[in-house]
Amino acid sequence: MKTSVGRVLVGAALVFLVSAACSAEIDGRASPDDAHPSTGAEPAGDTGVPSPPAGDDPAVPSVVDPKDATTLEICELVPHDVAVAAGFDPEGVPDSGGPIEACVWAAEEDRTAGVSVEVNDISGGLSNIYGQRDEYADFREFEIAGHPALQATRAVWGEGYCGIFIGLSDDQYLALRSSRGLDQPDTTNPCEQAVRLAEAVVPGIPEA
């Protein structure tokens, strides 16, 4: 596996998304007054005290055909051919800087762009994200490969970042946090590269 400056850059660009967005909440509550120690960003609170099951909240869609991504190693979640077909490096780079293990794939067209991927099965599924919807600058519902999905990005991340969350089961979701590349124009939508990778990955995740 080759190492490149681009991979180092994409890891640095995404490190606050992995560590801040995965930060555990204090006493089960987000703490906007507490800044992330390295970035000055507020903890995103995407993990912490589990939310109620999806069935308890009519706003949260249930997952009809559940999948289980925990049966795979995080950097094996995206097969080499799938990553390349979606426009990314064939191999991901592990990132254990946050409370949940993640893996980062750099984009081939601009190696300072990339997507951090993680599997969350400790926070109550998409109910956890729905429960914090007022904290996101944008919150959009759609589907990826027949699974409920959310575009949920915090204002503190800035316009160059995007969060995509896909419900794999009622208590497990796939999170993809994307960064715009340093050489990409400001009009480039970082959500598009996250969705492109998710659409290629979700069909191949084993059934629960």
Side-chain angles (χ1 to χ4, degrees), residues 78-91 197 200:
V78 183
H80 293 182
D81 59 334
V82 170
V84 171
F88 295 86
D89 281 348
E91 297 184 24
L197 189 59

Side-chain angles (χ1 to χ4, degrees), residues 141-201:
E141 300 171 282
F142 59 110
E143 285 191 356
I144 289 181
H147 285 252
L150 296 172
Q151 177 179 312
T153 306
R154 294 175 181 270
V156 72
W157 291 0
E159 294 182 356
Y161 298 90
C162 180
I164 300 293
F165 304 88
I166 303 102
L168 299 181
S169 69
D170 287 344
D171 58 5
Q172 181 182 138
Y173 63 78
L174 183 70
L176 298 94
R177 297 180 178 88
S178 176
S179 69
R180 181 189 298 149
L182 298 177
D183 296 329
Q184 292 177 328
D186 292 343
T187 54
T188 299
N189 184 352
C191 296
E192 292 180 356
Q193 63 184 5
V195 169
R196 185 171 71 244
L197 189 59
E199 288 176 337
V201 169

Side-chain angles (χ1 to χ4, degrees), residues 23-89:
S23 295
E25 296 171 340
I26 299 173
D27 296 328
R29 300 185 303 274
S31 303
D33 295 333
D34 293 337
H36 188 275
S38 61
T39 65
E42 64 178 285
D46 295 333
T47 63
V49 176
S51 298
D56 293 351
D57 185 349
V60 182
S62 295
V63 178
V64 178
D65 298 311
K67 291 175 175 286
D68 184 6
T70 63
T71 59
L72 303 171
E73 295 293 333
I74 188 63
C75 283
E76 295 177 354
L77 193 59
V78 183
H80 293 182
D81 59 334
V82 170
V84 171
F88 295 86
D89 281 348

